[in-house]
Amino acid sequence: MLFIFSFLLVPFTHAVISGDLNCTSYNGTAFVYTPAAVACSNAISDASCAVLYPAPNTDYPAAGNDAERAYACYTTATATPAAVVQDIKTAALANCAKTCGLCCQTDDYSCPNVAYPRLNCATITTSQCNSVAWRTIIATDCPSACGFCNQGGCVDAVTNCANDLSICNTVGMQDFVNTYCQKTCGRCPSTTASSSGSTASSGTCTSYAADSSSSCAAWAANGFCTNTFYTAAQRKARCATTCKLC
Ligand SMILES: *[C@@H]1O[C@H](CO)[C@@H](O)[C@H](O)[C@H]1NC(C)=O
Ligand SMILES: *[C@@H]1O[C@H](CO)[C@@H](O)[C@H](O)[C@H]1NC(C)=O
């Protein structure tokens, strides 16, 4: 009897990540971290995070691996099954989101993607997030994949435009900045960059459902409320109060 039980339990004791499966996906045989799980930076040094959130089995979370998440990232328990304790997780998200493999739940990585993205948002890699060719498409279609949630769909295609702001006004640089420095030089189409967030949808509401995200003010300032790349249902589900959607 004992033999049968331990035999049945084997697959489960080998299933790692455990407890909190956010920022993971099933690859056919195991739960593995998504690229967005580790795409951000820790707020404090990586070395400090390694002390606060030591890897239970030497491996730290990385895209595609199934390293066990440090207990301190999400629970007060010291063995599985470990229930998620939200206080503990909030602290981990604020300080060591990357070491914990929880980047996808930070504000910059936690927003709806468009209803019909032109590419598969779930498989976007870090090199795509930094690629001149990909960044502007990703910012519009899959902002959560690269931490573009608070950018309102508008990013620079190259990452160092702000090194020299004078290029925005240099005559011979206009074709360049219109293509590569849209955010820094204010060249994004107004539908994604600067439409006001506070348009009321109709005069019939007297109250709205609560926002489900704490970032609605920032998103609204970036045009989220009126951005038709998101379905009305997605906008309402996230920011009904801020966007005045009922
Ligand atoms: C994801 O995180 C939330 C909140 O921290 C938690 O309640 C939930 O159980 C987690 N989901 C999974 C699949 O682990
Ligand atoms: C899924 O991930 C596990 C753990 O990283 C790995 O051993 C396995 O080969 C992967 N399976 C597939 C189908 O990619």
Side-chain angles (χ1 to χ4, degrees):
M1 199 61 180
L2 261 179
F3 167 77
I4 294 170
F5 273 154
S6 54
F7 177 75
L8 285 173
L9 283 173
V10 164
F12 297 99
T13 56
H14 281 276
V16 266
I17 297 174
S18 82
D20 183 335
L21 290 175
N22 284 294
C23 306
T24 69
S25 62
Y26 194 67
N27 75 354
T29 53
F31 282 96
V32 297
Y33 292 98
T34 60
V38 290
C40 61
S41 299
N42 292 320
I44 62 177
S45 74
D46 291 355
S48 299
C49 286
V51 173
L52 288 170
Y53 301 99
N57 294 317
T58 69
D59 273 350
Y60 280 98
N65 85 5
D66 63 351
E68 184 171 7
R69 207 190 300 272
Y71 289 115
C73 293
Y74 65 95
T75 187
T76 50
T78 51
T80 51
V84 174
V85 176
Q86 194 56 48
D87 273 359
I88 297 285
K89 191 166 166 181
T90 301
L93 275 167
N95 293 312
C96 298
K98 180 174 188 172
T99 298
C100 286
L102 289 171
C103 290
C104 83
Q105 294 203 300
T106 59
D107 283 349
D108 282 349
Y109 290 84
S110 177
C111 62
N113 296 314
V114 298
Y116 301 103
R118 286 167 280 179
L119 68 174
N120 182 350
C121 299
T123 59
I124 291 171
T125 61
T126 308
S127 66
Q128 283 176 290
C129 294
N130 294 323
S131 156
V132 176
W134 286 106
R135 285 170 59 83
T136 51
I137 293 170
I138 293 170
T140 308
D141 285 18
C142 304
S144 73
C146 296
F148 295 155
C149 289
N150 292 309
Q151 308 298 316
C154 176
V155 295
D156 292 334
V158 298
T159 51
N160 37 15
C161 295
N163 282 354
D164 177 6
L165 291 175
S166 73
I167 61 173
C168 295
N169 298 317
T170 301
V171 173
M173 291 295 283
Q174 292 311 296
D175 286 347
F176 180 89
V177 298
N178 288 344
T179 306
Y180 297 115
C181 299
Q182 292 178 302
K183 175 89 174 179
T184 296
C185 297
R187 304 301 159 82
C188 290
S190 58
T191 50
T192 55
S194 59
S195 48
S196 161
S198 55
T199 36
S201 57
S202 80
T204 56
C205 297
T206 52
S207 66
Y208 308 94
D211 293 342
S212 67
S213 166
S214 55
S215 304
C216 290
W219 296 350
N222 280 319
F224 176 77
C225 297
T226 51
N227 188 340
T228 52
F229 282 113
Y230 302 102
T231 65
Q234 286 177 320
R235 285 175 273 157
K236 184 176 163 188
R238 289 296 172 132
C239 301
T241 295
T242 299
C243 296
K244 298 188 168 51
L245 297 171
C246 57

